[in-house]
Amino acid sequence: MFLKTPDSIYLGHITSASVLIYIASSNPHVHTWFLVLWGILEIIFYPLLMEVWRRSYIRLSPERKAPYLWIRLMDYLSFLVGASWGVMTYVSLNADNVAHFAIQMSIAAGATAAAVRSLAVFPRSFALYAVPYLGLLALRLMLMGNEFILLGGLVLIFLSMMLRFGHDTLESVSQYIQMSNENLELAQRYRDAAEAARHANREKTRLLAAASHDLRQPLHAIGLHIETLPFKEMSEKSRETLNRIRTSLQTLSKLFNSLLDVSLLDSGKVQVRPMVFDLENMLNHVLDDYEPLAEIAHVTLMIECPKVGIMGDAILVRRMVQNLLSNAIRHSGGGFARIVVETQDGELSISVCDDGPGIPEEHQSIIFEEFTQIKQRSNRVMPNIDNTDRVEKGLGLGLAIVRRLADLQNLTLKLDTGPSGTNISICGFAVAPLAKQPEVPSRSFDRIASLFDQKHVLVVDDDEETRQATASLLQTWGCKLSSAESLEEMEQIDAPIDLIISDYSFPASYTGLEIIDTARKRYGKDLKALIISGDLTEDVQQRVSQAKLLLIHKPVQPVQLRSAMLGLFSSADNAQVIS
């Protein structure tokens, strides 16, 4: 701090010294040799010493600076300068010349006050400068007698005030340095905490990806095996048990998907792709999907939606509505669940309502957090419900995903709840005109089923359970099957092949992309293909997309696989992803 102010020190010091020499030269009691010697000391030696000191200190390496040694040298220098100025004032003070006397007193006061800025943080150096300077001035005034004794006393009072002011300045600087150090420590702790959070988030993502891939494989095989069981030949009790297994498996699959959805939303990897779509058509499809669940829960589904188009990401909006509707069905208590669409001032809102018991006030602030479930307290009478355990239990992630998706699309959520029910609204959609859609003639079920008849499908997967489950399911659909565990085993299968279904990850140094590339070289470049993977990382999705292949995520529902195969056999466009 002291070495940052040499320019102002030089200017003030040389100017004041020159003025004092001029005044002293008019005093016949001051010898010329004294003025020359004092001028060399203050105008040449002192500034030169300060500059050498400053440059030498700055050039030293941090470990060699030894600041306390330099502070002791500054003590000696401060005493030398203070004593020399005090001697000059003592010798040259001339009360007979009023102007010169006033200038000398002003310089003494100004020099001492200015020294507070540069020396106050070093209280010993400041005292060694100010005490001999002002002390000699006060002594000279008191020796002059009469009223000058009073003036000498005032100089001593001024000296004590400057010493006190220097002490207060030191305390202020010390407090500032202490606060700065505390802020630096807090900033470092924040950086450490942020880095720890980022590391934990990376580890969480890595763990979820690894666990997802390893656990989805058996789930995928179980789901395919279940669909191959002779359902019609089972007893009523066996069919009920099978339905319970299927429901539990679907719930477990949705839990995996929800966990990964939260992880992907937190990592910022989900991109919004806005487009204009028919809201009424989309909501009707959502109601169709949830009609079986509503029948089990004895809930009536209703919709109030005009024919309107909105600008938004259809997939993300549908997911939000699905989560809200599923939540409304679970908590309606056998009453109704309704979707209401309203427009006002060019903006549209989608509300999902139920007539359940509502959400207690103390829980309303946490329902959009992860794994938050509010125990329902309803006295509603639900007659003839002997299978309520089949209603899908909540996972505590649905509303958390809705909140994240709303934030991602700059939408707002509004909660209105009470004893008569709960209403959650998604607000902020932009209304957009709908383009006229051409009518697509429907095809009969027999026409669709005929696409699978005698199609030769090759399944390549290193997991035996998955190969067997996939083969059994495809055979029930009328397909001819061949299977292979590896790239080498696949090359032994003879053509023709109509479709290849390959896993993405293999223990060897190749992936499903190399499998399909080799298969197309062997069986024809137009061979239809799709990838099934439990690895949901962005890298896998990009690689499959760049290869213009269809990607289905494990565990695969039979309806997903059938839909994907229908798309491949009926259309040449297969560059899409099914999750």
Side-chain angles (χ1 to χ4, degrees), residues 503-520:
D503 191 16
Y504 181 84
S505 301
F506 288 86
S509 58
Y510 56 82
T511 66
L513 300 180
E514 285 77 18
I515 292 281
I516 293 175
D517 184 60
T518 303
R520 285 178 169 171

Side-chain angles (χ1 to χ4, degrees), residues 456-504:
H456 192 179
V457 181
L458 172 60
V459 178
V460 184
D461 199 304
D462 61 312
D463 184 75
E464 183 178 359
E465 283 294 324
T466 300
R467 291 199 309 275
Q468 292 180 356
T470 306
S472 298
L473 179 63
L474 294 177
Q475 285 173 347
T476 62
W477 293 347
C479 300
K480 293 174 59 178
L481 256 296
S482 295
S483 63
E485 181 181 2
S486 63
L487 179 64
E488 294 76 16
E489 188 175 333
M490 180 198 71
E491 293 177 340
Q492 300 176 8
I493 298 175
D494 296 328
I497 301 295
D498 299 300
L499 171 67
I500 179 172
I501 302 175
S502 174
D503 191 16
Y504 181 84

Side-chain angles (χ1 to χ4, degrees), residues 299-346:
V299 173
T300 302
L301 298 183
M302 295 178 285
I303 183 172
E304 298 176 16
C305 178
K307 191 69 174 179
V308 64
I310 66 171
M311 174 64 71
D313 190 313
I315 296 176
L316 300 184
V317 174
R318 177 168 182 155
R319 182 62 186 274
M320 296 172 72
V321 175
Q322 287 175 331
N323 287 2
L324 293 178
L325 185 60
S326 174
N327 192 71
I329 292 173
R330 287 197 303 271
H331 295 285
S332 64
F336 69 84
R338 184 171 72 248
I339 300 176
V340 180
V341 176
E342 297 177 331
T343 58
Q344 184 176 6
D345 298 331

Side-chain angles (χ1 to χ4, degrees), residues 143-430:
L143 292 176
M144 293 171 63
N146 300 325
E147 291 83 358
F148 292 105
I149 297 176
L150 179 59
L151 184 56
L154 291 177
V155 171
L156 293 178
I157 293 174
F158 177 76
L159 173 60
S160 64
M161 291 174 57
M162 288 296 99
L163 292 174
R164 180 63 187 179
F165 182 61
H167 179 268
D168 294 342
T169 303
L170 174 61
E171 285 192 345
S172 299
V173 173
S174 299
Q175 292 175 1
Y176 170 77
I177 294 174
Q178 181 179 1
M179 292 176 60
S180 298
N181 289 336
E182 290 176 354
N183 291 338
L184 288 174
E185 183 181 355
L186 288 174
Q188 184 60 44
R189 289 168 59 185
Y190 170 78
R191 287 192 292 268
D192 293 342
E195 179 57 32
R198 285 192 293 269
H199 176 73
N201 190 58
R202 289 193 297 268
E203 289 298 307
K204 178 196 70 174
T205 303
R206 184 187 62 80
L207 178 62
L208 284 175
S212 170
H213 182 268
D214 294 340
L215 295 178
R216 283 172 178 268
Q217 192 84 342
L219 285 176
H220 172 63
I222 293 172
L224 298 181
H225 276 307
I226 288 177
E227 297 303 322
T228 62
L229 294 176
F231 188 79
K232 294 182 179 180
E233 300 176 8
M234 294 181 179
S235 63
E236 183 66 26
K237 185 175 181 180
S238 297
R239 285 198 292 269
E240 183 178 352
T241 301
L242 182 60
N243 283 331
R244 291 179 183 273
I245 294 174
R246 182 187 288 114
T247 300
S248 298
L249 184 63
Q250 290 175 350
T251 301
L252 186 57
S253 298
K254 289 181 178 180
L255 175 59
F256 274 114
N257 290 331
S258 297
L259 285 171
L260 288 167
D261 283 344
V262 171
S263 177
L264 288 173
L265 288 168
D266 285 344
S267 66
K269 294 181 179 179
V270 177
Q271 295 183 352
V272 180
R273 296 180 173 86
M275 58 178 294
V276 178
F277 64 93
D278 188 335
L279 179 60
E280 182 189 31
N281 184 54
M282 186 269 284
L283 293 180
N284 282 325
H285 283 302
V286 172
L287 257 63
D288 291 342
D289 293 339
Y290 280 84
E291 188 66 40
L293 179 64
E295 291 181 0
I296 294 173
H298 291 254
V299 173
T300 302
L301 298 183
M302 295 178 285
I303 183 172
E304 298 176 16
C305 178
K307 191 69 174 179
V308 64
I310 66 171
M311 174 64 71
D313 190 313
I315 296 176
L316 300 184
V317 174
R318 177 168 182 155
R319 182 62 186 274
M320 296 172 72
V321 175
Q322 287 175 331
N323 287 2
L324 293 178
L325 185 60
S326 174
N327 192 71
I329 292 173
R330 287 197 303 271
H331 295 285
S332 64
F336 69 84
R338 184 171 72 248
I339 300 176
V340 180
V341 176
E342 297 177 331
T343 58
Q344 184 176 6
D345 298 331
E347 287 195 353
L348 179 142
S349 63
I350 304 174
S351 302
V352 180
C353 318
D354 65 65
D355 62 343
I359 302 171
E361 183 176 357
E362 64 270 17
H363 295 150
Q364 293 177 16
S365 61
I366 63 171
I367 62 169
F368 292 102
E369 297 179 3
E370 293 85 354
F371 298 105
T372 298
Q373 294 176 292
I374 308 302
K375 185 177 180 182
Q376 183 171 333
R377 295 175 295 178
S378 175
N379 297 322
R380 187 189 302 276
V381 178
M382 300 172 63
N384 300 324
I385 299 180
D386 54 1
N387 56 355
T388 56
D389 56 338
R390 292 175 57 192
V391 179
E392 181 182 334
K393 299 287 191 301
L395 302 173
L397 290 172
L399 293 182
I401 292 175
V402 170
R403 176 177 60 84
R404 282 172 163 78
L405 290 175
D407 294 340
L408 186 64
Q409 301 173 85
N410 295 320
L411 302 172
T412 57
L413 297 176
K414 291 184 179 179
L415 173 66
D416 183 13
T417 183
S420 60
T422 298
N423 179 4
I424 300 179
S425 302
I426 311 170
C427 307
F429 292 104

